[in-house]
Amino acid sequence: MGKWSRRAFISGGIISGGAVLFGIAIRPGNRVAKVAPLISDTNDTIFNVWLKISPNNKITVVVPHAEMGQGAHTTLAMMLADELDADWNLVEVLEAPAHKEYANYALAKGYALGDLNFPSWLVDTIDGFFLTATQAINLQITGGSTAVRTTGKFAMRVAGASTKAVLLEAAASTWNVPTDELTTKNSIIQHTESSRSAPYSEFAAIAAQLKQPVKPNLKMPDEFQIMGTNVQRLDIPSKVDGSAKFGIDARPPSLKFAAIKTAPVFGTKLKSVDEVSIQNMPGVRKVIQLDNAVAVIADGYWQAENALAALKFVFEDDGNELVEQSDIFKQFENDMNNAIKNSAEITDFQKGDINAALESANHIVEAEYRVPYLSHAPMEPMNCTAWVHDDICEIWTGSQDPLGFAAQIADALEIDVGNVLLHNEFLGGAFGRRAFSDYAIQAAKIATEVPYPIQLIWSREEDMRHDYYRQASISRFEAALDNSGIPIAWINQYVEKHDPVEAPYIPYAIDNQHIHFTESKTHVPWGFWRSVDHSLHAFFTESFIDELAFAATKDPYAYRRDLLADSPRFLHALDTAAKKSNWDSPLPDNWGRGIAIHKSFGTIVAQVIEVEVLEGRVVPRRAICAVDAGFAMHPNGMEAQMESGIVYGLTAALYSEITIQHGAVAQSNFHDYPMLRINESPIIETYIINGGEQIGGGGEPGTPAVAPALVNAIFNATGKRIRQLPIRLHDLSTKELSSKDVA
Amino acid sequence: MLTLTINEDRYDLDIDPQTPLLWVIREQVGLTGTKFGCGIAQCGACTVHLDGKPIRSCTTPVFAAVGRTVTTIEGIKNESGELHPVQQAWIEEQVPQCGYCQSGQIMSAIALLQKNPLPDDTDIDNAMRGNICRCGTYPRIRKGIQRAAKMIAIAPQKKKTIDG
Ligand code: FES
Ligand code: FES
């Protein structure tokens, strides 16, 4: 990854507020003048904010997303480079600075309009409107699996194609030949008739003066040269020799280190600190009191940690210290019951006539499921380096939302956002956690108290105890089956809804449905966790459909198949996973096979998991994954994301549970919040289906179907239906009647 | 004053001998490729070699490294600056995702191959279970180690054919 030159950034000035900005790649008008000083070396020609062409024909692609391991930098660069017919070997990536000009308007648009294709006459209006809206809320977020499907589609590809168009126009006029006699390949323009050819860089200066087409022709999949191939990821070489720079690796001059303790009970305040208790400890520089936390700055991090451990301080009590995990589940139950009693339920989705269906039913099946709070636990604990100097607050960190971070830091320090200079480094994992700026604000506040830069590092314990947690939840189901076992009614009530809206929806053709929920707020902070609400609802719905198959004495794959008869995309993914798993082949004793399918972020994932239950211990042996994301821009990267999502999902389903004890998180580190390790990791096979629909996400959709496929496999092996996660809470040392016995 | 040898360089440091080696490497010596993940020997992100053996530098006091050889991720290229076969294999198999755990993974993998040049998947699992990868790169770590083992195994023969 290239680096922004700080001097260029500062001397170029920061665009002052109030400027009217337009869609960069889609709207007409050349926006580059303002951004040029920020990314230009003297001899580069800037086309628009998404790319620049250097005199040596090197193309630098500016990517408005953070690299957190999902390969966004490479994939987005591929999309632009392909439309540009660029020489991939001469392509470099630069992450966009935290700057308004790069606001992720494509993301807002993708969200707001459900990723639709717009009629051309609407495009300008929509872009202008959404760009303004997005900038207003400071989005440059990497999340929601949006990099490829929104930024890639609406910005990178358009930028590549429209830049190619003006390069061709410039070449045509220079050589005085018709544009359509020109061809492009590997960053070279060729005119066969006159045997002339020249690199893009030769026409860059002229082309930059031309008006770029608003809606250039984009390639059809059969014309792709780079998209859909497995180029090597650009960030990987630096990640094998230790040279990759993460937030924690920032080393500004005279750096000191800070350790912090935030009030264990969420929302409580710092009451008092006895600073004298550590004043003679080695290396200690200063104790900083924040509203709800106390920090120690020292010459080294270990000294800061030791001093913090010795420091005497008291947090206030505010009543939440009395809350236990069991109280929270009790509150959920009460709120759910009361909502029904008082008809205060909020409807998610409704169709058909539930009551009539229930009356005509042959058989009613009921079940209740529970999931715990979850922590993100990325490998790199939260950290941020801050330095207040020369009227600016300079920040080094890893953020999924650098623009938002800059704005929130500015708010917290009561300074102009233009005076926050944020360097976004590689993210050592994020999974949603690094969309929240709490740690960066802490660092910035600490830095205002000292003349030197400080690096605030959260211990793993702080990281686990001050996360924004995936919600705990209860989900209740009631289904009516007709006399052939087909579901004719599906009623689902759950607690705590967040995003996305469609997470609890089912793909199955069931005529009568009522999906509804209850809000039940707790003092535990909530955050986006890889796949967000899909992470719980896929477990609920895909477990319950398995229970219905069992009640109907049908094979769970065949049962789903019947209910998906009118959904060819789902069927194709389901069939692929089942076939690749040899669904009907017998398994050894104590082994089981489970299936699940779920669509999230536009991508359908079907998984079959095989487990062995060894003296009560669950060992996932094999995971087969069929994924239809419309089109896989980088198939190897898509596979990597599926592997990653599966391991993440297995960790959560088998082990993960954050519990509240005396108002605070009980878990603290990897010994009591364990991670799946390599010896527990199954063989993973991924099969990519390029279904040709709208492109879906890759970073999140691998996770949701894992938990249900796994519990369904355990049921198949043992006859034990697990309705509460994590799985390790359950005794699986004995067997009951299972799907094996009926199928 | 205490003297350390890291990647064949000598460092004279004025430091509390109890300081974990991890922080000395990252802060005093300034090599940031070795990472902090848990601080309690649970994750392996801080793995370095002490006299060729993998250790958790977050729980190893710096005095324990005095008079011994410390090797970090920055010190495993060969004299001509070529990547170690494990690093090359990691690129070929496209192992890293976020990359944060990978210095530790690579150091553990190199130590494994030094002890056992042809490990099977069970050997790999046993040697690598101390290194957590939250991004779930385990299937590729297995492939990476297998590939590196092959590269190391054929390397001397290649040399012979060139010589001959
Ligand atoms: S940081 Fe040393 S093992 Fe985790
Ligand atoms: S690559 Fe991210 S933790 Fe291993």
Side-chain angles (χ1 to χ4, degrees), chain A residues 69 233 239-240 246 248-249 251 300-302 376-377 429 460 636 640 643-644 648 669 676-678 681, chain B residues 20 23 26-27 32 35-38 40 42 77 87 94 96-98 100 129 132 134-135 138 140 142:
Chain A
R233 267 175 47 191
K239 291 176 175 178
V240 304
F246 297 84
I248 204 168
D249 301 327
R251 289 290 181 268
Y301 180 66
W302 185 69
H376 297 83
R460 174 58 62 189
N636 186 273
E643 292 159 11
S644 176
Y648 207 79
N669 204 319
L676 198 82
R677 291 171 184 268
I678 193 169
S681 177
Chain B
W23 301 111
R26 289 185 52 83
E27 293 172 5
T32 55
K35 301 301 192 216
F36 164 61
C38 68
I40 58 166
Q42 281 283 317
K77 292 181 184 170
Q87 292 173 301
Q94 297 276 288
Q97 289 192 23
C98 84
Y100 195 79
R129 60 194 292 174
I132 293 173
R134 185 61 164 145
C135 297
Y138 302 131
R140 289 171 189 233
R142 290 195 193 115

